[in-house]
């Protein structure tokens, strides 16, 4: 009997080794696209994924401050933080499919499995870039704030879409251009290419969130911007702060009607 998609997703989420998680994630996406996995959802998702053994995980408030200069130490800290964002993004995308895919339908599953594959690719690119600096993911402490947002929204796909792709990933659209320019000014052309690829992909990721959020609101008879604002106020622990990359956000389906009033 073929394994179903939820079984493969759960196995990937519970894989702690970083390289094994990437390989297992890529394999499940390929298997699903080839029709080698049934579309069933027979198992529940874990409350939390497994991360690499020995990874030091701190509350966000206890994370050491990262310097902004061009020293090798600061460069490693920057790329390590980016690696963590992309590593957790793999788990976030896996979880949204495994937790909500049965109710949301095949288009939702296809869109977010596409996100899964790209997040795994982003992490692999950054890991290879870190290696050129003599570093690897796991060398520095990380925080659990991104996964906490998933825990806080595990009960409702609308809340998950509102917070993860439409707040957290949308924030990446705002801050990545400045980081890209900083990396380019340091002469790191390979790093700049990686960040440009991530920025282009993240527009699609946010668009997937906003598209399925609009469909969710249509089913519920709710106004998307108004409902989004309510969910953000209820479930987002931080604050929305400018500057905003309005053009990238609009390309991703997020007009200023959503965020300007609560920023």
């Amino acid at each position: 009997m073929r394994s179903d998609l939820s079984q493969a997703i759960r196995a990937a989420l519970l894989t702690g080794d970083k390289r094994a998680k990437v390989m297992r994630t890529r394999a499940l996406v390929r298997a699903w696209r080839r029709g080698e996995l049934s579309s069933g959802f027979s198992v529940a998702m874990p409350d939390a994924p497994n991360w690499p053994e020995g990874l030091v995980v701190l509350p966000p408030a206890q994370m050491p401050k990262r310097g902004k200069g061009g020293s090798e130490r600061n460069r490693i800290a920057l790329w390590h933080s980016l690696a963590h964002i992309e590593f957790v993004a793999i788990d976030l995308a896996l979880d949204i499919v495994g937790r909500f895919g049965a109710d949301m339908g095949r288009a939702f599953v296809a869109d977010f499995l596409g996100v899964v594959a790209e997040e795994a690719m982003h992490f692999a690119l950054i890991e290879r870039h870190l290696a050129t600096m003599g570093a690897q993911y796991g060398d520095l402490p990380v925080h659990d704030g991104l996964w906490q947002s998933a825990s806080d929204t595990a009960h409702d796909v609308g809340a998950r879409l509102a917070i993860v792709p439409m707040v957290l990933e949308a924030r990446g659209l705002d801050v990545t251009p400045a980081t890209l320019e900083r990396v380019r000014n340091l002469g790191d052309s390979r790093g700049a290419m990686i960040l440009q690829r991530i920025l282009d992909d993240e527009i699609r990721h946010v668009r997937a969130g906003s598209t399925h959020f609009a469909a969710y609101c249509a089913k519920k008879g709710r106004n998307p911007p108004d409902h989004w604002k309510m969910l953000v106020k209820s479930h987002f622990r931080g604050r929305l702060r400018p500057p905003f990359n309005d053009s990238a956000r609009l390309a991703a389906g997020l007009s200023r009607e959503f965020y300007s009033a609560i920023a």
Side-chain angles (χ1 to χ4, degrees), residues 14 17 20 24 41 43 45 59 65 68 92 101 105 112-113 121 149 168 170 174 201 234 237 243:
L14 294 177
D17 179 83
R24 180 163 269 175
F41 290 85
V43 298
M45 293 301 102
K65 298 296 183 184
K68 294 188 177 181
L92 291 171
F112 282 100
L113 283 182
M121 180 265 291
S149 294
L168 300 179
D174 303 330
D201 290 345
S234 299
R237 300 186 180 196

Side-chain angles (χ1 to χ4, degrees), residues 2-5 8-9 23-39 106 109 113 117:
R2 289 188 303 169
S3 295
D4 69 28
L5 181 57
I9 289 174
M23 297 303 291
R24 180 163 269 175
T25 295
R26 287 173 164 171
L28 81 84
V29 175
R30 286 195 302 269
W32 185 82
R33 287 172 173 170
R34 293 171 181 166
E36 297 166 0
L37 290 172
S38 76
S39 296
R106 189 172 180 84
V109 170
L113 283 182

Side-chain angles (χ1 to χ4, degrees), residues 110-163:
D111 284 347
F112 282 100
L113 283 182
V115 173
V116 167
E118 289 181 344
E119 302 294 18
M121 180 265 291
H122 295 167
F123 176 76
L125 288 173
I126 294 172
E127 257 273 282
R128 286 199 288 271
H129 198 48
L130 268 174
T132 68
M133 305 170 209
Q136 63 177 335
Y137 179 57
D139 285 349
L140 299 176
V142 300
H143 67 78
D144 61 355
L146 293 174
W147 185 259
Q148 187 60 54
S149 294
S151 297
D152 292 346
T153 57
H155 64 291
D156 176 27
V157 66
R160 176 68 63 85
L161 290 166
I163 302 305

Side-chain angles (χ1 to χ4, degrees), residues 2-237:
R2 289 188 303 169
S3 295
D4 69 28
L5 181 57
S6 69
Q7 291 170 330
I9 289 174
R10 181 180 173 89
L13 285 166
L14 294 177
T15 300
D17 179 83
K18 57 190 177 183
R19 290 181 180 86
K21 187 186 286 282
V22 168
M23 297 303 291
R24 180 163 269 175
T25 295
R26 287 173 164 171
L28 81 84
V29 175
R30 286 195 302 269
W32 185 82
R33 287 172 173 170
R34 293 171 181 166
E36 297 166 0
L37 290 172
S38 76
S39 296
F41 290 85
S42 64
V43 298
M45 293 301 102
D47 291 336
N50 286 340
W51 289 350
E53 186 176 354
L55 189 69
V56 176
V57 182
L58 302 174
Q62 294 181 21
M63 284 290 292
K65 298 296 183 184
R66 193 173 73 237
K68 294 188 177 181
S71 70
E72 193 71 355
R73 179 180 178 180
N74 288 341
R75 287 185 66 223
I76 289 170
L78 168 65
W79 286 98
H80 193 278
S81 70
L82 294 172
H84 182 60
I85 290 169
E86 299 300 330
F87 188 77
V88 180
I90 299 170
D91 288 328
L92 291 171
L94 287 168
D95 186 80
I96 200 172
V97 176
R99 192 173 297 275
F100 302 113
D103 293 329
M104 293 297 289
R106 189 172 180 84
F108 178 93
V109 170
D111 284 347
F112 282 100
L113 283 182
V115 173
V116 167
E118 289 181 344
E119 302 294 18
M121 180 265 291
H122 295 167
F123 176 76
L125 288 173
I126 294 172
E127 257 273 282
R128 286 199 288 271
H129 198 48
L130 268 174
T132 68
M133 305 170 209
Q136 63 177 335
Y137 179 57
D139 285 349
L140 299 176
V142 300
H143 67 78
D144 61 355
L146 293 174
W147 185 259
Q148 187 60 54
S149 294
S151 297
D152 292 346
T153 57
H155 64 291
D156 176 27
V157 66
R160 176 68 63 85
L161 290 166
I163 302 305
V164 175
M166 298 175 72
V167 171
L168 300 179
E169 290 200 77
R171 188 58 182 159
L173 303 182
D174 303 330
V175 302
T176 300
T179 305
L180 194 160
E181 189 64 23
R182 173 185 160 199
V183 166
R184 186 179 285 127
N185 289 339
L186 290 171
D188 185 357
S189 59
R190 185 173 183 272
M193 289 175 61
I194 292 170
L195 289 177
Q196 186 63 61
R197 174 61 188 268
I198 290 173
L199 179 60
D200 293 342
D201 290 345
E202 294 296 342
I203 291 174
R204 289 196 301 275
H205 299 180
V206 178
R207 188 188 303 125
S210 59
T211 297
H212 290 287
F213 183 76
Y216 164 87
C217 287
K219 278 186 178 180
K220 301 287 186 181
R222 292 168 178 159
N223 175 272
D226 290 345
H227 194 52
W228 182 83
K229 291 168 194 172
M230 184 275 290
L231 291 169
V232 170
K233 288 176 181 177
S234 299
H235 298 290
F236 184 53
R237 300 186 180 196

